[in-house]
Amino acid sequence: MTETKPDQPTRAADTAKPILEVSDLNVSFPSEAGEVQAVRGVSYAVRPGEVLGIVGESGSGKSVSSMAVLGLLPETARVSGSVKLGGRELLGLSDGAMSKIRGKEIAMVFQDPLSALTPVYSVGYQLAEALRVHQSISKDAARKRAVELLDVVGIPDPHRRVDAFPHEFSGGMRQRAMIAMAIANDPEVIIADEPTTALDVTIQAQVLDVLKRAQEVTGAAIVMITHDLGVIAGFADQVQVMYAGRPVETGPVDEVYYRPRMPYTIGLLGSIPRLDEGRVEDGSRRALTPVEGNPPKMVDLAPGCPFAPRCPVATDVCRTTEPELAVADGAAHRTACHRAGEIGDTLDRATVYPVPELPDAAPVERLPREERPTVLELDQLTKHFPLTKGGLVKRRVGTVRAVDGISLDIREGETLGLVGESGCGKTTTLLEILDLPGDQTGTVTVFGKNITELSRADRKGLRRDMQIVFQDPMAALDARMPIGDILAEPLRTHGWDKARIAARVPELLEMVGLEADHADRYPQEFSGGQRQRICIARALALEPKLVILDEPVSALDVSIQAGVLNLLDELKSRLGLSYLFVAHDLSVVRHIADRIAVMYLGRIVEIGAAEKVFAQPSHPYTQALLSAVPLPDPHKERERTRILLSGDLPSPTDVPAGCRFAGRCPKYATLEKADQSRCREEDPATAPLAEDHAAACHFPTALELL
């Protein structure tokens, strides 16, 4: 199905009385290092039917402020200020009194639905419990209402699913069940804390659609907490940007996005890779504008503006006096910046945050693709796993078709982006490439060598030339080893002598923007972005030719993510690297990839030059993926047509016959019966659409979505 957003955001009437008023909210926690000032003077008001978006980096106080509103903080927390719901003061109420309000008048959708739902009770039981706690209603009536709620939020076959347990739901379905629980008692306010963070973009679009419909059903105000500025652009009426525990810019979403007056807001907006921005006219990449440095520790804050150490236009007054949140443009747009009056007038965005320059493309990158050597080639690679049942005596009851015959190639100096929903087989493909098995089905050719013909020594040599950067840098680094030893470990494994290692480690640190004297520090002493830079340095230690990047920036804030992406671009050109870049964020892939392969249920359904695939996606699945990615541009977000997929990704243990996407395909419903029969019965082969652009669809039709 398709969804077109209204020309203007849905706004509550300006004369409506706020339903939720937060005034000068302060939260602190005791710690061994001193008092942690997590929230410092947060104030906002939300009217019925209005959406307030609260954004900022991790540690800015977004979630803590929402927990304080709901009275869910631990007893050690010190909370002051005022929180009024419909004119009634909530701070100071007992837990018993708050229990009567939580879930009835004010509800919350948590970030991780699997943790929020009790695993030993069915989803229907938990929905019925939420109803019976606050209403005088029978078990049968509560169950009937639970089925209705599951239907409202789009759970397929709600009469059967009501008896399912949380682990039997997919991530998107669990989040929709959480929204159903939140709206069960028609609350006046819904607080959604990062409700789409861990979801694929297609499921994210479904959840946001459900949340919007839930708001229409209940008429509730919504406080949306997120780090995704694209989500806020199309969903919120008002936005509040937080930094170091306090609001630094607040106002109508259009004002803040198009006329930001706080350098931090400008930095956040400039650090986002955008799906609607390709390469510059000469074909080179656009650098992102990272916000250098890290947020301050919330213990014993230094005097002055907390953002001053990271601010490119800070002055002496910024380092001595913290600015108040004052009017910037109109009474509704306020900014906490001493130079707010200059920004936008004498200081434009490019002056505040100049765009870094990337190095010129390497000589190999300037060659036509067909003239470059092939670094990696997969031909009908297949990986199936047996599905067994039983304890002592196991019997095979099925097959998991994780990778089901994929073909692709990567040329020297090229980045191939591999994208698709969770469960489509991306990670299994990576593991098959890295494991270099000798008995796989299909052909894997690395640097011109068929891996089935290699000796053990040859395989070790190939692994030196292929390295990986994992998604979670903290899990990838040994917390017991200083980073100097971590970087030296692969060098020792491959026989480097001590003198050569001692010279290489500082060189690697400087290559990724760290200092040589950091070698004696441990991973926990670095920020998330710095840890990922260490992982990149380790991957480059042996001077590989191919680097495989598995969701390398998904765990990072956008401000930190920008610096890592710029670094990857710089290293690729300087060292002549080739990348296989796996991600679910198509905005990141659009920024960094030369070519893109779209994967669905173990198969590649569209592949080609990135600019062609993004400009004219031809497979319905690719079109749905692109339409689901939010843009950090309020006007464009309201005008876009959204293609919402029904249901979730099928299980690889039960792959449909014919086209495996037919059950979710929006185009399928528009076809004639004979064409539908073909989709159900015949698995489409990958066919060329244009030069370096192919799709596996019986009826491909290019759409311009950006």
Side-chain angles (χ1 to χ4, degrees):
M1 63 177 291
T2 60
E3 175 199 52
T4 303
K5 298 196 174 184
D7 292 336
Q8 297 294 332
T10 303
R11 295 186 183 281
D14 291 339
T15 56
K17 186 177 180 181
I19 185 64
L20 177 65
E21 297 175 274
V22 177
S23 303
D24 195 28
L25 181 66
N26 293 272
V27 180
S28 62
F29 301 92
S31 74
E32 293 182 0
E35 187 176 51
V36 178
Q37 299 172 315
V39 177
R40 304 182 304 122
V42 168
S43 299
Y44 59 80
V46 193
R47 296 172 173 81
E50 188 177 51
V51 179
L52 169 68
I54 301 180
V55 300
E57 293 174 287
S58 301
S60 61
K62 308 185 301 295
S63 295
V64 173
S65 63
S66 68
M67 293 295 184
V69 169
L70 287 161
L72 294 176
L73 293 175
E75 293 181 358
T76 54
R78 301 187 185 95
V79 184
S80 64
S82 173
V83 177
K84 292 183 178 180
L85 180 66
R88 180 187 181 188
E89 180 62 56
L90 300 186
L91 289 189
L93 292 182
S94 66
D95 188 59
M98 282 300 300
S99 295
K100 296 178 181 179
I101 295 171
R102 287 193 296 260
K104 180 174 176 58
E105 297 175 50
I106 183 168
M108 187 159 188
V109 180
F110 292 95
Q111 178 175 352
D112 183 2
L114 191 58
S115 298
L117 293 168
T118 305
V120 296
Y121 293 110
S122 70
V123 171
Y125 178 91
Q126 294 180 67
L127 281 171
E129 181 186 41
L131 289 162
R132 299 189 71 202
V133 163
H134 295 288
Q135 300 180 35
S136 179
I137 186 173
S138 68
K139 287 185 178 180
D140 290 341
R143 178 183 170 84
K144 182 180 178 181
R145 178 59 177 155
V147 173
E148 292 173 355
L149 287 166
L150 291 178
D151 187 46
V152 166
V153 297
I155 298 294
D157 195 7
H159 289 87
R160 181 176 62 87
R161 290 287 192 173
V162 73
D163 293 318
F165 288 83
H167 71 273
E168 298 178 274
F169 277 29
S170 67
M173 290 172 65
R174 285 194 289 265
Q175 196 61 286
R176 279 177 272 172
M178 282 297 303
I179 294 172
M181 192 177 296
I183 66 173
N185 295 292
D186 296 329
E188 296 173 309
V189 178
I190 299 173
I191 297 177
D193 186 8
E194 301 274 12
T196 62
T197 295
L199 304 178
D200 291 305
V201 288
T202 51
I203 307 302
Q204 171 181 280
Q206 294 176 21
V207 169
L208 290 174
D209 179 61
V210 167
L211 198 56
K212 198 66 178 176
R213 281 193 279 120
Q215 183 195 33
E216 293 168 359
V217 169
T218 62
I222 293 181
V223 178
M224 170 72 81
I225 299 168
T226 181
H227 67 276
D228 192 330
L229 289 155
V231 168
I232 293 298
F235 194 77
D237 303 310
Q238 303 285 324
V239 61
Q240 183 173 89
V241 182
M242 288 188 66
Y243 186 80
R246 63 174 298 214
V248 294
E249 188 155 11
T250 182
V253 67
D254 286 24
E255 288 288 323
V256 173
Y257 275 67
Y258 295 128
R259 288 171 288 279
R261 295 298 183 118
M262 170 67 185
Y264 179 60
T265 309
I266 294 172
L268 285 182
L269 291 169
S271 65
I272 306 171
R274 292 181 55 148
L275 194 67
D276 57 336
E277 290 185 356
R279 302 193 175 189
V280 295
E281 293 181 1
D282 64 358
S284 60
R285 294 180 180 83
R286 301 171 184 268
L288 302 172
T289 53
V291 182
E292 301 293 348
N294 298 292
K297 297 185 182 300
M298 302 305 291
V299 178
D300 294 329
L301 279 172
C305 175
F307 187 62
R310 305 173 70 188
C311 181
V313 294
T315 61
D316 290 342
V317 68
C318 301
R319 298 179 181 90
T320 57
T321 306
E322 185 169 8
E324 296 294 326
L325 195 66
V327 172
D329 287 319
H333 186 185
R334 296 184 296 162
T335 304
C337 179
H338 291 298
R339 306 193 68 181
E342 301 171 68
I343 294 173
D345 297 328
T346 57
L347 289 174
D348 59 16
R349 292 197 192 193
T351 304
V352 176
Y353 273 100
V355 179
E357 290 188 8
L358 294 175
D360 293 335
V364 70
E365 294 182 84
R366 294 193 285 268
L367 291 175
R369 184 172 189 271
E370 59 273 12
E371 295 181 16
R372 304 186 202 176
T374 301
V375 172
L376 173 70
E377 184 175 6
L378 309 181
D379 184 17
Q380 292 299 311
L381 177 66
T382 301
K383 182 64 178 180
H384 293 172
F385 298 94
L387 186 64
T388 60
K389 187 176 182 180
L392 292 175
V393 180
K394 294 185 180 294
R395 65 184 187 278
R396 185 166 183 161
V397 295
T399 301
V400 180
R401 295 162 63 179
V403 178
D404 207 19
I406 67 170
S407 299
L408 57 84
D409 68 299
I410 302 175
R411 301 297 177 98
E412 189 175 329
E414 183 176 75
T415 299
L416 174 70
L418 185 61
V419 302
E421 294 172 285
S422 300
C424 72
K426 303 188 303 294
T427 300
T428 303
T429 301
L430 297 192
L431 295 176
E432 280 298 288
I433 295 169
L434 289 166
D435 192 40
L436 299 178
D439 58 348
Q440 87 286 346
T441 304
T443 304
V444 178
T445 305
V446 184
F447 309 122
K449 300 175 182 178
N450 187 330
I451 64 172
T452 59
E453 303 169 355
L454 298 179
S455 65
R456 184 172 182 179
D458 290 337
R459 290 176 192 276
K460 183 177 180 180
L462 276 186
R463 289 195 175 96
R464 181 185 60 229
D465 292 331
M466 289 195 310
Q467 295 293 317
I468 187 168
V469 177
F470 293 99
Q471 179 176 357
D472 183 356
M474 194 60 193
L477 299 172
D478 191 333
R480 300 166 299 176
M481 295 172 64
I483 63 168
D485 289 349
I486 290 173
L487 296 180
E489 187 177 39
L491 303 175
R492 285 195 294 267
T493 300
H494 285 269
W496 287 40
D497 59 50
K498 290 184 178 180
R500 195 177 173 196
I501 291 174
R504 181 62 171 162
V505 168
E507 180 182 299
L508 288 168
L509 290 171
E510 291 170 5
M511 186 185 298
V512 297
L514 299 176
E515 297 178 12
D517 59 7
H518 288 167
D520 294 330
R521 298 185 186 180
Y522 289 82
Q524 54 268 33
E525 298 179 66
F526 294 88
S527 66
Q530 289 174 322
R531 285 196 288 265
Q532 196 60 291
R533 287 171 180 263
I534 295 167
C535 289
I536 293 170
R538 180 184 167 101
L540 299 177
L542 293 164
E543 300 177 343
K545 300 172 185 176
L546 173 65
V547 179
I548 295 174
L549 301 128
D550 186 10
E551 303 272 11
V553 296
S554 63
L556 306 178
D557 286 309
V558 290
S559 56
I560 308 300
Q561 169 185 284
V564 174
L565 290 174
N566 284 348
L567 174 66
L568 290 172
D569 269 333
E570 178 187 340
L571 293 172
K572 175 174 176 281
S573 296
R574 187 168 10 129
L575 304 177
L577 300 171
S578 301
Y579 291 148
L580 175 55
F581 193 101
V582 175
H584 68 274
D585 189 333
L586 275 83
S587 299
V588 170
V589 173
R590 175 67 184 268
H591 173 78
I592 200 168
D594 302 301
R595 301 180 76 242
I596 180 172
V598 182
M599 198 168 180
Y600 184 81
L601 206 59
R603 288 275 181 87
I604 295 207
V605 297
E606 188 159 4
I607 187 169
E611 292 300 315
K612 291 182 180 179
V613 174
F614 282 109
Q616 292 189 317
S618 298
H619 194 284
Y621 180 59
T622 309
Q623 294 164 0
L625 284 179
L626 292 178
S627 79
V629 178
L631 300 176
D633 187 312
H635 292 170
K636 288 186 177 181
E637 268 296 283
R638 294 177 206 132
E639 294 168 359
R640 294 179 73 197
T641 298
R642 192 79 75 195
I643 301 172
L644 297 177
L645 295 181
S646 58
D648 298 290
L649 189 76
S651 170
T653 63
D654 187 21
V655 176
C659 175
R660 53 196 67 200
F661 185 61
R664 301 173 72 195
C665 181
K667 181 183 286 187
Y668 176 84
T670 67
L671 299 175
E672 300 291 337
K673 287 188 177 180
D675 292 336
Q676 288 184 341
S677 178
R678 184 184 178 192
C679 291
R680 289 195 307 270
E681 297 170 4
E682 182 184 338
D683 194 2
T686 303
L689 304 173
E691 185 181 355
D692 199 15
H693 188 189
C697 179
H698 293 306
F699 308 101
T701 304
L703 287 182
E704 294 185 9
L705 297 171
L706 302 175

